[in-house]
Amino acid sequence: VSDSPFPVNPAGFNIHSAVHEVREDAQCVLHTHTAAGVAVSAQEQGLLPLSQQSLFALASMSYHDYEGVALNEDEKTRLQADLGDASFMILRNHGLLVAGESIADAFLFNFVLQRACEIQVMAQSGGTPMVNIPDPILKGIKAQASQVTKGLGGHLAWPGLLRKLERIDPSFKD
């Protein structure tokens, strides 16, 4: 966006700029390649409604099919269309992406999606049949999510997380 002496990862720039070009509400976009996130992204059914954590993500989930390393400028329009107005996206065979109105929201979304993926991988490794959360509960989760966070989204936990970070390593402010 602006001149910088620092190199930019072109694939990362393609992905993040695609979101920022079409989503004014997305003030913070996080994209990760964690083991659990990539494992779920490689599963045909994607994220399953196995845990309370998965429901929050599934209430605003989208998927984008893998097209190789994201160097192709043409992929941006497909990524934008696939994301739509969702806050959570699984990039198939690649990783996770979240878009939040603030750093606090994006952090919370990423934490919840990552934890849901970890829980799914752990549940699948148990070797016994899993129980999906019933669809009527999934349909009501958006309203419940707002109640749980008192309408504050990630800002409910953010001040506490910053206080914890300051206790662990106050130098983060430098």
Side-chain angles (χ1 to χ4, degrees), residues 101-171:
E101 292 184 13
S102 66
I103 293 170
D105 285 343
F107 180 87
L108 177 65
F109 295 165
N110 189 70
F111 179 84
V112 168
L113 181 55
Q114 173 61 26
R115 188 55 48 101
C117 290
E118 291 168 0
I119 291 167
Q120 179 167 319
V121 170
M122 290 174 71
Q124 290 169 323
S125 71
T128 61
M130 297 176 295
V131 178
N132 284 348
I133 293 173
D135 201 45
I137 294 174
L138 174 59
K139 288 185 182 350
I141 198 64
K142 277 190 181 181
Q144 290 177 338
S146 183
Q147 285 178 313
V148 165
T149 64
K150 301 179 181 181
L152 296 172
H155 293 283
L156 180 65
W158 192 248
L161 292 169
L162 290 178
R163 288 191 304 270
K164 181 177 182 178
L165 181 56
E166 188 161 356
R167 280 193 310 273
I168 294 170
D169 182 7
S171 70

Side-chain angles (χ1 to χ4, degrees), residues 36-97:
V38 174
V40 170
S41 81
Q43 296 176 10
E44 186 175 341
Q45 291 184 306
L47 187 64
L48 300 171
L50 297 176
S51 65
Q52 179 170 289
Q53 291 76 5
S54 69
L55 296 184
F56 295 109
L58 288 169
S60 185
M61 177 62 72
S62 64
Y63 291 86
H64 177 69
D65 288 336
Y66 189 67
E67 297 185 26
V69 177
L71 296 172
N72 183 351
E73 182 81 16
D74 294 342
E75 183 177 1
K76 289 170 76 169
T77 56
R78 292 182 293 280
L79 193 142
Q80 292 164 342
D82 290 340
L83 179 62
D85 64 356
S87 296
F88 300 83
M89 176 180 260
I90 292 179
L91 292 91
R92 299 260 186 216
N93 308 96
H94 183 160
L96 309 176
L97 183 142

